[in-house]
Amino acid sequence: MSRVFNFSAGPAVLPEEVLKEAAEEMMDYRGCGMSVMEMSHRSKMFQTIIGEAEADLRELMGIPDNYKVLFLQGGASQQFAMIPMNLFKNRVGDFIITGQWAKKAYQEASLYGKANAVASSADKTFSYIPDVSDLPISEDADYVYICENNTIYGTKYKTLPDTKGKTLVADLSSCFLSEPVDVSKYGLIFAGAQKNVGPAGVVIVIIREDLISEEVLPGTPTMLRYKTHADAVSLYNTPPAYGIYICGKVFQWLKKLGGLNAMKEINEKKAALLYDFLDQSKLFKGTVVKEDRSLMNVPFITGDEALDELFVKESRAAGFENLKGHRTVGGMRASIYNAMPTEGVEKLVAFMKDFEEKHAK
Ligand code: PMP
């Protein structure tokens, strides 16, 4: 068996320990004679799996009791619609546009009401986070929306916006569980699982109870109401059961590691290896302003497209997969999620140094 260092932005690398355990349990999960994939979601066995997953996530993030944790489907993109369908009362949302995912959420919300772009970093190709200390928040805004870590552009909010008392809604897909979070500052957090926590097909929603109500936009399908899933504890219909099981294993892996403070420390050291190299490199350059750099997604360029292409090709041959930047921005991007071993980043930096020696002018 040989495994590559996978720098994909998602679906992404998962902890080897988790994959091994899942492999061991594949044919016969804890003596029940079947895999988790084949098991009824109403069985006691699965109730325990989902119950423990939720309890572990609550413990890891310190989720207050007045928040529900929902394991849903439809990807992070479905939340772009579910959020306005459920949270629009005045049908007004204020959006901070820091990249494509925030823009998509903004466009989707505008199908249901008034979506205002209250700040944007589009003027500099989303290479920074705008000043969010004094935004023109709308009087009647139902919520303020952010994409906290911008997967494509590699930026991350270091301080949350002043929402002037309005509910904060945040897409944490690409930084979920990478560091501690004060859940009480948000009304709703959501994250697609396929970056830091598990296979694609699960999206985790953490929502304050007072935001869950029967009062939704007319025509909102039953499946797209938070209340449906909150009332049924994520078992209204068949949930993405195998995905939830893997998420649960990742939560346990994180707990064993020492929780989110320990994870953050590892992530900071790992990211510093790459950023420190980029900052002194004669060939490579990071594309994000220093103070807004993400710990998870690190975009960089050589400034020469042909050389970028050669780097992606040669790095691939050397066992580093998925270093090509997003199709819309080009260049390179190393996604170094929780499960990327430090060794992977060390080896990548060594490879970049070699490449630089050969190609720097
Ligand atoms: N938000 C962010 C921050 C993302 O990075 C992505 C996917 N890369 C999405 C939303 C969309 O996720 P999905 O494909 O699960 O709909």
Side-chain angles (χ1 to χ4, degrees), residues 81-265:
M82 258 177 103
I83 291 162
M85 283 174 141
N86 286 268
L87 267 50
F88 266 180
K89 308 297 171 210
N90 301 327
R91 296 201 184 211
V92 179
D94 284 356
F95 289 74
I96 303 173
I97 313 293
T98 51
Q100 272 192 37
W101 299 113
K103 194 167 160 202
K104 283 196 171 164
Y106 159 77
Q107 286 168 335
E108 190 71 15
S110 70
L111 298 176
Y112 304 100
K114 190 155 172 25
N116 303 307
V118 291
S120 167
S121 52
D123 60 337
K124 289 187 183 152
T125 338
F126 302 116
S127 57
Y128 69 102
I129 299 289
D131 178 3
V132 292
S133 58
D134 186 19
L135 296 167
I137 302 293
S138 314
E139 285 272 308
D140 52 353
D142 292 306
Y143 55 85
V144 176
Y145 182 101
I146 62 167
C147 179
E148 194 157 322
N149 185 82
N150 295 281
T151 325
I152 298 173
Y153 301 95
T155 56
K156 161 102 187 358
Y157 285 77
K158 302 293 159 76
T159 47
L160 293 175
D162 178 359
T163 63
K164 303 185 176 166
K166 305 293 181 195
T167 298
L168 180 64
V169 171
D171 176 355
L172 265 66
S173 294
S174 47
C175 59
F176 196 60
L177 302 181
S178 63
E179 60 184 320
V181 164
D182 181 354
V183 176
S184 69
K185 293 202 167 123
Y186 304 79
L188 189 154
I189 289 172
F190 70 96
Q194 69 270 25
K195 295 161 195 307
N196 249 346
V197 278
V202 183
V203 58
I204 296 170
V205 173
I206 301 167
I207 178 171
R208 213 175 54 222
E209 279 169 356
D210 60 281
L211 296 171
I212 304 171
S213 83
E214 311 254 8
E215 221 189 290
V216 293
L217 294 188
T220 300
T222 307
M223 272 294 286
L224 298 189
R225 297 170 187 225
Y226 291 123
K227 187 158 193 324
T228 302
H229 300 287
D231 287 352
V233 201
S234 301
L235 290 167
Y236 170 72
N237 72 326
T238 319
Y242 195 79
I244 293 169
Y245 154 75
I246 299 291
C247 290
K249 287 206 177 300
V250 172
F251 301 156
Q252 287 193 355
W253 173 78
L254 277 164
K255 275 176 62 177
K256 263 190 262 161
L257 210 91
L260 300 190
N261 278 312
M263 192 70 250
K264 181 184 186 197
E265 211 174 292

Side-chain angles (χ1 to χ4, degrees), residues 40-52 235:
S40 164
H41 60 293
R42 307 278 173 210
S43 64
K44 236 193 166 138
M45 208 67 139
F46 187 73
Q47 301 277 338
T48 306
I49 290 172
I50 192 170
E52 283 178 1
L235 290 167

